[in-house]
């Protein structure tokens, strides 16, 4: 059932192209469903379930409704928008569903980004438009995931440390890769499609300092752009063939350095697949905070005895959590809460929770976090300190390093190099199922949600993709 293409014979000439870009194109064209090994398949299924549950559960959030109102006249097509019966153009469906999937800081993490809310909505939208099978959709989804994450690793942690929102940038490449795979582009056209995607790449992390719900739409913007990059390439538009490593390509302009000399090796072998290393979030906030949440959760019941907390943080965490207003005076918006490290640590220590329900309660005005609240008062006791040592030892992985000071003069050091949901500290099946149910049962009902997840667990490659997308509509 592979979508291997005879067009593989038409590979771009190495005379005018960098080795890395050619390697990416070869990898994408050659990738097949059969390359998804048995140890990777469980992660693929979990990724599908996690992302689709998030799209369903986030469809009614304020910015989700606002984005849907913005798309007043979607173009006609065959692709499903979550929660709706009518079908629309693939790029419009991908735009809406990706926005939902990235809408509440609860989506998966890998490659310094959030590949799930890129590759899943793209694969479903384009696959449905083309009448693909579930196997063909999954093949393209995993191939695009690998392109997203492997490019992301090459620019991590520089991309976020420069102030870029990695997902807003990387998802353009990931979506273009998925769509190119489903359209069975040859290697030359793949290279042009990914090069065109670079012209769309943008988005900074200023939202962590001064808010802005546009961050929620970064995934949708990138997915639409990636799909349309492929359409431009199919129409004959070409792009700069050294879009990654050229003198004015991605690396030198976005991260201010050349790529590694052996970067092409990242794409030379299909195995091991990066999808096996996906981190599924246990908490509804910035991933940089999760290990700190685990550390402070162990302090529940002792919060009243704590007079101060020193939190040593990496550069990546400082970039995402450096807004002092939020923990000194209380969050003015949901972004300040979800990206405010001291606030998240305080919620954990006080036993108020860091999940979907807690953040929705704040959004709905049911969890007041004013300047005199116990959460803000505790957050004021937390001091953030940059640690070059952590940067050197853990350049790409989020860790937590805290020192707790107690009233009696004693102190306690807590270090966490992993957080719940990470590949090295995975959810139990029961814990992840609870997340899926919380997100879906209220919207599509228990029976329909169960049918959706059972279909994914079976993952019959011959299943028409329409059987899955039909379960994404409201009951």
């Amino acid at each position: 059932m592979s979508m291997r293409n005879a067009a593989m014979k038409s590979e771009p000439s190495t005379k005018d192209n960098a080795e890395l870009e050619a390697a990416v194109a070869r990898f994408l064209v050659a990738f097949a469903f059969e390359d998804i090994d048995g140890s990777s398949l469980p992660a693929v299924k979990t990724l599908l379930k996690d992302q689709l549950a998030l799209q369903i559960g986030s469809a009614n959030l304020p910015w989700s409704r606002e984005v849907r109102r913005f798309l007043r006249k979607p173009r006609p097509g065959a692709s499903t928008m979550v929660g709706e019966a009518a079908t629309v153009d693939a790029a419009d469906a991908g735009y809406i569903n990706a926005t939902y999937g990235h809408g509440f800081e609860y989506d998966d993490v890998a490659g310094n980004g959030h590949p799930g809310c890129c590759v899943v909505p793209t694969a479903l939208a384009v696959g449905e438009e083309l009448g693909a099978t579930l196997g063909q959709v999954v093949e393209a989804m995993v191939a695009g995931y690998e392109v997203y994450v492997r490019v992301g690793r090459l620019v991590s942690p520089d991309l976020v440390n420069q102030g870029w929102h990695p997902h807003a940038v990387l998802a353009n490449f990931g979506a273009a890769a998925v769509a190119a795979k489903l359209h069975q582009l040859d290697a030359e056209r793949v290279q042009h499609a990914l090069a065109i995607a670079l012209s769309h790449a943008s988005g900074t992390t200023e939202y962590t300092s001064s808010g802005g719900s546009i961050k929620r739409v970064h995934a949708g913007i990138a997915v639409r752009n990636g799909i349309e990059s492929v359409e431009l390439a199919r129409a004959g538009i070409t792009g700069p063939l050294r879009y990654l490593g050229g003198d004015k390509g991605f690396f030198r302009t976005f991260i201010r350095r050349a790529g590694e000399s052996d970067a092409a090796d990242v794409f030379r072998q299909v195995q091991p697949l990066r999808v096996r290393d996906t981190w599924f979030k246990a908490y509804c906030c910035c991933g940089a905070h999760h290990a700190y949440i685990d550390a402070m959760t162990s302090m529940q019941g002792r919060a009243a005895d704590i007079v101060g907390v020193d939190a040593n943080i990496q550069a990546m965490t400082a970039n995402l959590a450096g807004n002092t207003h939020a923990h000194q005076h209380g969050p003015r918006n949901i972004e300040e809460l979800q990206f405010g490290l001291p606030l998240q640590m305080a919620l954990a220590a006080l036993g108020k929770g860091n999940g979907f329900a807690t953040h929705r309660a704040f959004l709905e005005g049911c969890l007041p976090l004013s300047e005199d609240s116990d959460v803000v008062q505790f957050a004021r006791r937390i001091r953030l300190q940059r640690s070059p040592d952590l940067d050197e030892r853990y350049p790409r992985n989020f860790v937590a390093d805290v020192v707790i000071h107690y009233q009696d003069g004693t102190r306690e050091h807590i270090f966490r190099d992993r957080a719940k949901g990470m590949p090295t500290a995975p959810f139990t099946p029961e814990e992840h199922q609870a997340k899926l149910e919380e997100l879906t049962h209220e919207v599509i009902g228990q029976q329909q949600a169960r049918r959706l997840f059972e279909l994914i667990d079976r993952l019959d490659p011959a299943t028409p993709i329409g059987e899955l997308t039909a379960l994404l509509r409201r009951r």
Side-chain angles (χ1 to χ4, degrees):
M1 72 123 275
S2 165
M3 294 185 71
R4 293 185 189 270
N5 197 320
M8 286 175 64
K9 299 176 183 177
S10 174
E11 292 193 357
S13 166
T14 56
K15 178 179 179 181
D16 300 316
N17 301 303
E19 186 181 9
L20 173 59
E21 288 84 351
V24 175
R26 286 194 299 268
F27 169 85
L28 189 62
V29 172
F31 189 85
F33 184 86
E34 292 79 11
D35 294 320
I36 305 172
D37 61 294
S39 62
S40 299
L41 197 57
V44 172
K45 294 176 181 179
T46 303
L47 180 67
L48 261 173
K49 290 190 287 187
D50 194 77
Q51 175 54 207
L52 292 178
L54 287 164
Q55 292 178 27
I56 293 166
S58 300
N60 287 327
L61 294 173
W63 42 85
S64 297
R65 295 195 300 268
E66 289 158 3
V67 168
R68 184 62 186 90
R69 283 198 297 271
F70 162 75
L71 194 67
R72 294 183 301 276
K73 297 180 179 179
R75 294 165 288 186
S79 301
T80 297
M81 291 186 293
V82 167
E84 302 187 37
T87 58
V88 300
D89 174 76
D92 288 343
Y95 171 69
I96 290 295
N97 296 337
T99 298
Y100 295 171
H102 188 55
F104 217 37
E105 305 308 321
Y106 214 10
D107 46 330
D108 59 280
V109 181
N112 220 202
H114 306 276
C117 63
C118 164
V119 301
V120 172
T122 305
L124 291 183
V126 178
E128 197 170 14
E129 178 181 65
L130 297 177
T133 64
L134 179 57
Q136 291 168 332
V137 164
V138 169
E139 177 184 82
M141 183 190 91
V142 176
Y145 181 103
E146 296 298 316
V147 169
Y148 180 120
V149 172
R150 295 179 194 207
V151 171
R153 294 283 292 183
L154 292 173
V155 295
S156 173
D158 307 69
L159 200 59
V160 70
N161 289 343
Q162 291 281 354
W164 296 104
H165 179 203
H167 178 64
V169 175
L170 297 170
N172 295 274
F173 299 124
V178 172
K181 185 66 178 173
L182 281 163
H183 279 288
Q184 303 185 61
L185 299 192
D186 63 28
E188 181 176 6
R189 201 57 61 190
V190 164
Q191 201 158 332
H192 286 302
L194 293 174
I196 293 167
L198 174 61
S199 289
H200 293 294
S202 186
T204 75
T205 54
E206 176 56 30
Y207 54 81
T208 65
S209 296
S210 48
S213 60
I214 187 59
K215 189 269 182 189
R216 317 292 181 175
V217 198
H218 280 178
I221 293 170
V223 162
R224 181 178 59 193
N225 289 342
I227 293 172
E228 294 186 345
S229 294
V230 169
E231 294 299 335
L232 284 167
R234 293 179 70 220
I237 299 298
T238 60
L241 295 182
R242 298 199 63 204
Y243 64 94
L244 292 174
D247 291 339
K248 289 162 281 190
F250 178 47
F251 294 144
R252 285 185 171 87
T253 55
F254 278 72
I255 61 172
R256 305 297 182 185
R257 63 172 172 81
E260 288 86 348
S261 59
D262 60 349
D265 292 341
V266 173
F267 289 93
R268 290 196 192 285
Q269 294 182 355
V270 172
Q271 304 294 349
L273 294 180
R274 292 283 185 180
V275 71
R276 292 188 297 181
D277 299 326
T278 306
W279 165 12
F280 298 102
K281 283 188 175 181
Y283 310 119
C284 197
C285 61
C286 177
H289 307 344
H290 285 219
Y292 292 93
I293 290 171
D294 283 350
M296 297 308 294
T297 297
S298 66
M299 294 293 104
Q300 288 181 14
R302 304 179 65 186
D305 299 326
I306 297 173
V307 295
V309 179
D310 295 324
N312 300 308
I313 61 174
Q314 300 154 280
M316 293 187 294
T317 305
N319 182 278
L320 296 168
N323 184 358
T324 57
H325 178 280
H327 69 271
Q328 290 296 327
H329 307 290
R332 297 165 292 191
N333 51 58
I334 186 66
E335 290 82 22
E336 288 190 346
L337 176 58
Q338 291 181 306
F339 288 90
L341 176 56
L343 292 170
Q344 293 296 329
M345 294 172 68
L347 287 172
L350 295 169
K352 296 183 182 291
N354 302 78
F356 186 74
T358 298
H359 290 87
R360 194 165 68 169
F362 172 81
L363 194 61
E364 295 170 352
C366 302
L367 178 64
L369 296 178
S370 60
E371 194 167 348
D372 59 354
S373 69
D374 57 346
V375 173
V376 175
Q377 291 293 322
F378 190 94
R380 287 177 177 169
R381 303 178 215 167
I382 299 172
R383 296 175 291 275
L384 305 183
Q385 303 173 156
R386 275 292 319 281
S387 172
D389 177 62
L390 291 179
D391 290 334
E392 183 176 347
R393 292 165 56 200
Y394 305 95
R396 290 188 173 95
N397 301 324
F398 289 122
V399 300
D401 186 46
V402 298
V403 178
I404 313 292
H405 299 271
Y406 296 103
Q407 287 183 346
D408 62 5
T410 61
R411 64 180 186 174
E412 180 178 0
H413 179 231
I414 303 175
F415 179 78
R416 296 279 190 275
D417 62 357
R418 67 197 69 187
K420 181 184 291 187
M422 287 182 174
T424 51
F427 280 125
T428 65
E430 293 76 19
E431 287 171 333
H432 193 245
Q433 186 62 33
K435 175 182 177 180
L436 300 179
E437 292 175 358
E438 181 181 32
L439 289 163
T440 57
H441 284 187
E442 183 180 323
V443 183
I444 64 173
Q446 182 176 350
Q447 183 178 4
Q448 188 166 319
R450 184 175 64 250
R451 289 170 57 202
L452 173 65
F453 299 137
E454 287 175 349
L455 187 153
I456 294 170
D457 281 330
R458 288 194 304 272
L459 198 60
D460 178 357
T463 300
I465 195 59
E467 291 188 18
L468 185 150
T469 55
L471 297 171
L472 301 178
R473 299 165 190 152
R474 292 187 189 279
R475 55 186 171 180

